[in-house]
Amino acid sequence: MVSNLLVAQYPSQDQDVKVGLVLSGGGAKGLAHIGALEILEEAGVRIDYIGGTSMGAIIGGLYASGYSAKQLDSIFNETDFTTLIQDDIPRSAKTFYEKDESEKYAITLPFDSFKIGFPSGLSKGQNVYNLISRLTLHVSDVDDFSKLPIPFFCVATNVESGKEVILNEGYLPRAITASGALPSLFSPVAINDTIYIDGGVVNNYPIDEVRALGADIVIGVDVQDSLKTRESLESAFDVLVQVNNYRTIEDMVEKRKRTDIYINPNIKDFSVVSFDEGKKIIESGREEARSVLDKLRSIASQQKQVDRPDVDFFQKNKIYVSTVEINGNEKYTRSYVLGKLKLKTPAEISNKRFYEGVNNLSATGNFQDINYRLMQLEDGTYKIVFNLRENDSQMTLRLGAHYDDLYRTAALMNVTRKRVFTNNDIVSFDFVVGDNIRYDFNYYIDKGFYWSIGLRSRFLFFDKDIAVDLISDELGFSNQTQLNEIELEYGDLTNQLYVETLFRRNFLLGIGAEHKWLRLVSETIGIDEDENPRTVFENTNYFSTYGYLRYDTFDNSFFPKSGIFFDGDFHLYLFAEGSNTDFDQFSIARAKAAYAQSITSKLSAVVATQGGFTIGNDATRTLDFFLGGYGYRKTNNIMPFFGYEALSLRGNTYLKSSLTFDYEIFRNNHVNIAANIANIGDDLFETGQWIDGIDYSGFALGYGMETFLGPLELKYSYSPERDEGEWFVTAGFRF
């Protein structure tokens, strides 16, 4: 067919060959489309129609909306596909409650009616939708895809009927994401009342549909997988792709014959998820297209050359939003949705803040689908229309695992139930088994911008060998024995009722009432009143009121590269009941501030300072500050400190500063060095000892790796004062 069409080396005055472009699906292999488009532009070929499937729909839709191949190359080279595909939501976009929740669990599964289920896809595709929506804002008012700078359509599959559907009208980002909803990787996409998945299931190379638009010549870029051998089928996903390839490869035998210029890049060494090799894949597209460069130039010579019109891309960093329309929220109130979006109208809002709000709403897990569209009104302001699809699943099972030197091994099972008493509430129960049994119960009513209400109960327990000198006051005698250490059993049951709200959008302000039962026992020495071989140092119920203020924009809580962190709280202990008969009212204040900054793309630094002090009664010592150790969850006033074992230093006042340099040697793998200094003791401010010198210091060299279970870290620390070192090992999210 090519030889019949390419007969005119010099066009007649009225000659104008129409060219259609077909872009197949192929996951990451579809990045080769960009390289091929660059060569088509170099040859001067004018594209009159584009039809695409899956990744071909994404590349083709963006090209049809006005982007050049060079611009697409820049966009996709700057895109973090791991974050994009896995729906990783920037930490800064999450609420404080969601930050805490997302940093404890490794696996989350549907658990409705106490039956374990599986999600419809590894990703909801929200990040993909956000990216395409942002890139196509300049054509957000175009409903007919034939009115785009280049007429365009994409192919999707109706899940219920299994039929092919041509999407050539509606909202462009929605159509593109529907075409690219690869089964098992992305959740199906709803448009109106129809559910769609990847168009490659039924038509991965829509040549006939492009020809039907009026194309005289069809250029096709085919990036489909070939059939793999048994040795190459390494996962269930590979098998699923292989099954789908049976039909598409057979179809291509005939479709290739009907293609005038067939471009088939050499991408056999790549997979559908080889996004980290994007540059090589794009280059493969260039190389194959260059092999037909003369034919492409011949086609261009038969066309009337018209410069591509300048596209008025959306350049505004901020828009004035006059109104927000929310549809589909049956169980969740409008105020709840707006609170998660952090939207108050009318107001000017930055693009960054808007997408952070969308991510924050997605992070709740309450919505299967968040479809939105920005619409410019006659007065120049914008209306944002949200069409939400709520998640029918109300119950989840979440799992995690952890190890550190204080709590040691721990396996976590969590059951979370939403909408128990109200549409905005959530019940969560953690049960931890291992060397020490623990639990954490939370009931939370999320009111968005308004005051949210929480009820929490948790029990912590560990046993640790500590120096006798640390508890000499509780023993009531000076240590005249040869005993250096005793085993301390530390139990803490805490119940809290609190209210909290966002203050100036980014600060979390809260107040509450607390009951705390502390029980500290050693079976190493002593005989109790029941003639049991043990000493009970503490067995008291404390009742207090407290307040807190938090600010957290760290991009990563374990290996931060940017952001500011502040956490301060004040407890007023009002009365007590139990073994502490000398109790008098007292207060404890503490705060921590930290700043993270990237020095280079790989190197970052974190500087932090923190401190705390007790006001009032000196008789209650079990809530003193303790320093030492690393990697355990936050427990009362027990703080980490390099160079010393956990619970090695004690006092009712402390000051600590640290500096950490972290270098990401390759993705998710870190080496770091750290130094910390501290003064800790009794009444340091009254005696002036807080500033008379540095009493304690430590240094650490470590290696860390980010995994789906949480960080795995190995650190060697050294204390000059002790002239000794300590190894710290921690694995998994901290809980």
Side-chain angles (χ1 to χ4, degrees):
M1 185 176 293
V2 175
S3 58
N4 293 332
L5 286 169
L6 305 183
V7 293
Q9 298 299 319
Y10 303 98
S12 62
Q13 188 174 4
D14 59 349
Q15 185 177 11
D16 188 19
V17 172
K18 299 288 186 180
V19 174
L21 178 65
V22 179
L23 302 178
S24 80
K29 296 183 178 187
L31 294 174
H33 293 319
I34 297 173
L37 284 169
E38 290 182 9
I39 303 305
L40 264 65
E41 289 182 352
E42 179 184 325
V45 175
R46 188 194 73 229
I47 305 300
D48 298 290
Y49 312 102
I50 299 178
T53 299
S54 196
M55 194 63 173
I58 295 174
I59 303 296
L62 293 175
Y63 193 76
S65 73
Y67 287 95
S68 68
K70 184 177 181 180
Q71 288 172 315
L72 292 178
D73 193 351
S74 298
I75 289 169
F76 284 93
N77 275 325
E78 294 172 1
T79 300
D80 182 348
F81 283 96
T82 300
T83 299
L84 197 70
I85 293 173
Q86 294 180 351
D87 266 347
D88 286 346
I89 295 171
R91 188 173 181 274
S92 59
K94 300 176 183 177
T95 65
F96 289 87
Y97 181 84
E98 287 150 4
K99 286 173 184 174
D100 292 340
E101 291 291 286
S102 66
E103 292 165 0
K104 288 199 298 184
Y105 311 110
I107 298 172
T108 299
L109 298 170
F111 198 50
D112 293 288
S113 301
F114 297 95
K115 296 179 180 179
I116 296 177
F118 294 93
S120 58
L122 295 177
S123 167
K124 291 186 293 185
Q126 190 64 51
N127 283 345
V128 175
Y129 184 73
N130 290 347
L131 174 65
I132 296 174
S133 295
R134 178 168 56 83
L135 293 174
T136 58
L137 278 173
H138 61 289
V139 291
S140 62
D141 59 339
V142 177
D143 291 315
D144 182 351
F145 299 167
S146 68
K147 304 300 183 184
L148 291 169
I150 301 175
F152 168 78
F153 73 85
C154 59
V155 180
T157 304
N158 184 318
V159 170
E160 295 177 300
S161 68
K163 302 290 186 179
E164 170 186 344
V165 178
I166 300 298
L167 300 177
N168 54 14
E169 61 182 5
Y171 189 45
L172 181 62
R174 202 69 183 157
I176 290 173
T177 52
S179 179
L182 186 64
S184 79
L185 184 59
F186 293 112
S187 297
V189 172
I191 301 179
N192 298 323
D193 294 327
T194 305
I195 306 297
Y196 296 99
I197 58 172
D198 194 303
V201 174
V202 289
N203 187 355
N204 204 31
Y205 189 84
I207 180 174
D208 297 326
E209 291 77 9
V210 169
R211 182 84 69 182
L213 293 177
D216 301 310
I217 294 177
V218 175
I219 300 171
V221 185
D222 180 12
V223 295
Q224 300 177 75
D225 262 332
S226 58
L227 292 179
K228 296 181 178 181
T229 63
R230 70 180 74 177
E231 291 80 9
S232 301
L233 297 173
E234 299 177 349
S235 67
F237 182 73
D238 289 337
V239 174
L240 180 64
V241 172
Q242 179 93 332
V243 170
N244 188 59
N245 285 342
Y246 295 152
R247 183 192 50 75
T248 59
I249 290 173
E250 184 177 343
D251 288 348
M252 281 308 301
V253 174
E254 290 299 320
K255 289 184 175 182
R256 179 173 181 174
K257 296 176 182 178
R258 298 198 296 273
T259 305
D260 299 304
I261 300 292
Y262 181 72
I263 300 172
N264 184 211
N266 181 11
I267 48 178
K268 60 180 175 36
D269 294 332
F270 307 106
S271 74
V272 294
V273 291
S274 296
F275 290 102
D276 57 337
E277 299 185 90
K279 291 183 179 180
K280 293 180 181 179
I281 297 174
I282 291 173
E283 181 56 35
S284 70
R286 294 191 191 101
E287 290 179 0
E288 185 62 22
R290 284 194 188 100
S291 69
V292 293
L293 184 58
D294 290 340
K295 293 180 180 180
L296 295 174
R297 285 173 174 162
S298 179
I299 292 174
S301 71
Q302 300 176 66
Q303 294 182 298
K304 292 180 180 179
Q305 296 305 308
V306 178
D307 292 335
R308 292 190 71 181
D310 292 332
V311 176
D312 184 18
F313 293 105
F314 193 88
Q315 301 293 338
K316 299 177 181 178
N317 292 323
K318 295 181 178 181
I319 59 173
Y320 192 88
V321 179
S322 57
T323 183
V324 175
E325 179 181 319
I326 300 174
N327 303 310
N329 58 317
E330 298 176 0
K331 301 182 180 71
Y332 297 95
T333 64
R334 174 182 172 86
S335 63
Y336 172 84
V337 174
L338 290 176
K340 294 300 178 184
L341 291 169
K342 301 179 182 179
L343 274 176
K344 286 185 176 181
T345 56
E348 188 176 59
I349 182 172
S350 68
N351 292 336
K352 179 181 178 182
R353 177 168 287 181
F354 172 72
Y355 289 111
E356 281 184 349
V358 172
N359 282 331
N360 185 38
L361 186 63
S362 179
T364 65
N366 294 330
F367 300 93
Q368 181 63 34
D369 205 2
I370 303 173
N371 178 13
Y372 56 86
R373 186 169 184 176
L374 276 67
M375 305 175 67
Q376 189 168 18
L377 304 178
E378 293 181 358
D379 60 0
T381 64
Y382 283 83
K383 173 183 179 180
I384 305 178
V385 178
F386 283 91
N387 291 303
L388 307 176
R389 185 157 59 100
E390 295 177 340
N391 196 336
D392 292 330
S393 178
Q394 295 180 253
M395 198 168 181
T396 57
L397 174 68
R398 299 188 283 188
L399 306 172
H402 180 76
Y403 173 82
D404 63 63
D405 295 324
L406 182 60
Y407 284 99
R408 297 190 287 278
T409 59
L412 167 65
M413 182 178 72
N414 167 273
V415 176
T416 296
R417 177 71 157 82
K418 297 180 179 180
R419 303 193 296 273
V420 179
F421 301 112
T422 74
N423 283 335
N424 297 348
D425 69 359
I426 180 171
V427 175
S428 174
F429 181 75
D430 289 345
F431 184 63
V432 181
V433 296
D435 287 307
N436 299 290
I437 293 178
R438 294 174 275 151
Y439 81 81
D440 194 344
F441 170 84
N442 280 277
Y443 177 71
Y444 191 72
I445 304 175
D446 195 331
K447 293 288 189 177
F449 275 122
Y450 303 104
W451 285 90
S452 298
I453 303 170
L455 173 66
R456 184 175 193 182
S457 176
R458 66 177 182 266
F459 175 72
L460 305 172
F461 178 85
F462 63 82
D463 62 273
K464 171 73 176 171
D465 290 338
I466 65 171
V468 172
D469 293 342
L470 281 177
I471 56 170
S472 58
D473 289 344
E474 284 83 353
L475 287 170
F477 60 89
S478 60
N479 183 22
Q480 301 295 329
T481 71
Q482 298 300 313
L483 191 63
N484 295 317
E485 291 185 332
I486 65 171
E487 181 183 28
L488 178 69
E489 296 180 0
Y490 188 103
D492 175 351
L493 172 65
T494 300
N495 301 299
Q496 296 173 322
L497 176 65
Y498 61 93
V499 294
E500 61 184 24
T501 187
L502 286 177
F503 174 67
R504 294 187 178 273
R505 290 184 177 268
N506 295 313
F507 289 91
L508 183 68
L509 175 66
I511 56 174
E514 177 184 273
H515 158 255
K516 183 182 290 291
W517 173 58
L518 283 176
R519 186 173 185 270
L520 279 65
V521 176
S522 176
E523 296 182 358
T524 306
I525 60 173
I527 302 293
D528 70 5
E529 58 186 12
D530 298 322
E531 301 299 321
N532 294 316
R534 65 184 182 185
T535 297
V536 179
F537 303 120
E538 174 75 284
N539 187 16
T540 303
N541 291 280
Y542 293 96
F543 299 87
S544 67
T545 182
Y546 66 98
Y548 53 89
L549 180 66
R550 296 172 189 161
Y551 179 84
D552 185 359
T553 60
F554 271 2
D555 61 337
N556 185 305
S557 62
F558 301 103
F559 304 100
K561 293 183 177 180
S562 64
I564 298 173
F565 176 88
F566 176 83
D567 184 8
D569 70 68
F570 181 86
H571 274 70
L572 172 60
Y573 291 89
L574 300 170
F575 57 95
E577 185 275 328
S579 63
N580 186 359
T581 57
D582 296 326
F583 175 85
D584 196 5
Q585 286 189 9
F586 69 100
S587 302
I588 295 179
R590 63 185 181 187
K592 177 181 179 180
Y595 174 72
Q597 176 65 52
S598 292
I599 300 172
T600 68
S601 61
K602 296 285 188 180
L603 180 64
S604 59
V606 181
V607 59
T609 186
Q610 61 189 91
F613 56 90
T614 302
I615 306 171
N617 180 23
D618 293 332
T620 302
R621 302 302 307 274
T622 48
L623 287 168
D624 278 359
F625 299 99
F626 290 84
L627 293 183
Y630 177 77
Y632 48 83
R633 62 155 293 158
K634 183 179 178 182
T635 305
N636 288 331
N637 295 321
I638 302 174
M639 314 290 181
F641 191 75
F642 295 129
Y644 292 79
E645 286 189 31
L647 285 80
S648 292
L649 308 172
R650 177 181 182 177
N652 66 17
T653 308
Y654 89 104
L655 291 168
K656 172 190 167 185
S657 295
S658 64
L659 176 63
T660 302
F661 290 98
D662 182 276
Y663 187 81
E664 189 172 14
I665 50 178
F666 47 93
R667 183 173 178 80
N668 295 331
N669 286 261
H670 304 256
V671 292
N672 42 64
I673 57 174
N676 55 199
I677 56 175
N679 283 350
I680 184 168
D682 293 336
D683 306 319
L684 297 186
F685 291 117
E686 288 84 345
T687 61
Q689 292 177 305
W690 68 279
I691 202 171
D692 63 349
I694 298 173
D695 295 334
Y696 306 101
S697 63
F699 304 89
L701 174 65
Y703 170 79
M705 180 170 61
E706 298 177 71
T707 75
F708 79 97
L709 287 171
L712 305 179
E713 294 185 83
L714 175 66
K715 290 183 183 291
Y716 174 75
S717 68
Y718 174 77
S719 167
E721 298 82 34
R722 300 173 60 219
D723 194 23
E724 291 184 22
E726 296 288 343
W727 284 97
F728 299 126
V729 178
T730 178
F733 293 119
R734 299 168 192 172
F735 48 79

